Amino acid sequence: MSDKKPVRHLLGLSGGKDSAALAIYLRDKVPDMEYFFADTGAELPETLAFVDLMADYLGKEIIRLNAGRDFDYYLKLHSNYLPSAQQRWCTINLKLKPFEQFVGEDAVISYVGIRADEPQREGYISTKPNITTCFPFKDDGLVKADILRILDDSGVGLPKYYEWRSRSGCYFCFYQRKIEWVGLYENHPEAFEKAKQFEKFDEKTGKRYTWSQGESLDELIARKEEIKARSVLDSKQKKSKNLMDIVFDEDDDGGCLICMK
Ligand code: SF4
């Protein structure tokens, strides 16, 4: 008898809609699936609640991975430079490394929720030879409307943060649009305050390190009515019905897959 370990099937839940729909879609097709969630320690309560709801729905544990160190530790390691789309050290340290540690040297199939209507996305393609990545939605031609139907039919629905934000991920995520920062301010003022504390002004160089491009969070909030009005206008131009529609419609721009899909 061979003592070779069987291939492991892994599905990472980000707390977002696509990975949740994928878990529902594959629940009966891949019964020995292992589910995991890489918790950065800076997750929104709505995200954590949604992951718990998914564990109930799947009837299985969702293994919590974490880096063992928090964001502050890595921030100091990066000389207090905030992460950005170009310098995504947060994803590498808080999400990817814990994932690769979890995999170890085992042969793994990793299931990723990229849809057929987003061919521009590539996902996390591991360079580790023992990880094979697979895209069931892409392969089966499922698009956004299918994902919404899967979530609706299952009774799981959408994560609550979709009422004001288009993605899961850290409360301070730099991928947030200005209207989402306003949403954080209004829904989680204490998290907004914490995010503010990470911004810096270097008196020597005059350089500012802000989460949102071109302005500090204080400046952004000082013009929150203008930002809201702009969003409503955008939503009218896009013929959406309300603010949530436009937040939700724009969930496909940028963002990092392992955090937000
Ligand atoms: S959610 Fe945003 S801030 Fe958090 S790890 Fe991912 S990219 Fe970085």
Side-chain angles (χ1 to χ4, degrees):
M1 211 171 85
S2 161
D3 54 2
K4 207 173 157 207
K5 271 175 100 175
V7 174
R8 292 169 67 193
H9 297 267
L10 303 187
L11 195 157
L13 288 148
S14 66
K17 69 179 188 326
D18 293 323
S19 57
L22 186 62
I24 295 166
Y25 186 64
L26 296 179
R27 185 182 67 170
D28 301 327
K29 294 181 185 163
V30 188
D32 52 351
M33 189 77 86
E34 294 173 54
Y35 303 98
F36 69 89
F37 170 65
D39 186 341
T40 62
E43 307 290 343
L44 291 166
E46 293 95 322
T47 304
L48 299 176
F50 190 64
V51 172
D52 287 344
L53 177 69
M54 283 303 298
D56 288 346
Y57 178 86
L58 297 166
K60 268 197 180 175
E61 183 191 2
I62 295 173
I63 298 158
R64 301 281 174 123
L65 308 183
N66 83 47
R69 304 276 196 170
D70 60 9
F71 177 78
D72 297 56
Y73 171 84
Y74 291 108
L75 183 63
K76 283 197 191 94
L77 219 58
H78 289 82
S79 315
N80 288 323
Y81 284 105
L82 294 178
S84 63
Q86 295 72 36
Q87 299 287 328
R88 229 187 295 167
W89 52 258
C90 49
T91 314
I92 294 168
N93 290 298
L94 298 169
K95 296 271 182 182
L96 298 185
K97 284 189 178 167
F99 169 66
E100 292 196 338
Q101 236 167 29
F102 178 56
V103 167
E105 296 310 315
D106 297 344
V108 150
I109 300 179
S110 168
Y111 296 83
V112 177
I114 298 180
R115 307 184 311 257
D117 57 346
E118 45 182 7
Q120 74 283 8
R121 285 199 191 257
E122 287 195 334
Y124 166 53
I125 315 284
S126 176
T127 49
K128 289 189 79 170
N130 53 322
I131 303 177
T132 307
T133 310
C134 138
F135 306 99
F137 286 158
K138 230 176 170 178
D139 296 346
D140 296 349
L142 270 67
V143 298
K144 191 174 194 171
D146 299 307
I147 273 60
L148 298 179
R149 182 184 39 76
I150 291 170
L151 289 168
D152 200 35
D153 289 353
S154 68
V156 166
L158 289 167
K160 285 270 179 282
Y161 58 74
Y162 271 124
E163 287 165 17
W164 57 275
R165 177 175 153 140
S166 63
R167 350 180 132 90
S168 53
C170 306
Y171 66 83
F172 46 63
C173 186
F174 49 85
Y175 279 117
Q176 281 176 96
R177 287 170 303 119
K178 299 201 185 268
I179 187 65
E180 294 175 310
W181 281 109
V182 173
L184 182 69
Y185 175 79
E186 292 184 341
N187 289 278
H188 297 290
E190 63 308 323
F192 184 89
E193 282 306 311
K194 268 162 69 186
K196 260 172 55 178
Q197 305 307 317
F198 291 118
E199 296 192 317
K200 294 269 175 309
F201 174 64
D202 187 334
E203 286 182 3
K204 273 194 222 141
T205 61
K207 210 165 168 348
R208 299 199 310 167
Y209 299 94
T210 58
W211 286 114
S212 187
Q213 215 180 359
E215 62 188 345
S216 70
L217 291 181
D218 271 336
E219 289 162 345
L220 185 151
I221 282 307
R223 55 182 203 90
K224 75 179 161 76
E225 296 311 323
E226 181 195 328
I227 292 169
K228 282 181 175 179
R230 177 81 240 167
S231 284
V232 171
L233 190 68
D234 286 350
S235 85
K236 279 191 184 140
Q237 278 166 357
K238 290 194 170 187
K239 295 195 174 55
S240 294
K241 289 187 278 306
N242 55 40
L243 199 58
M244 187 193 160
D245 283 344
I246 188 151
V247 166
F248 189 69
D249 274 355
E250 295 194 358
D251 72 334
D252 295 330
D253 55 336
C256 70
L257 284 163
I258 196 162
C259 304
M260 298 160 190
K261 284 304 286 176

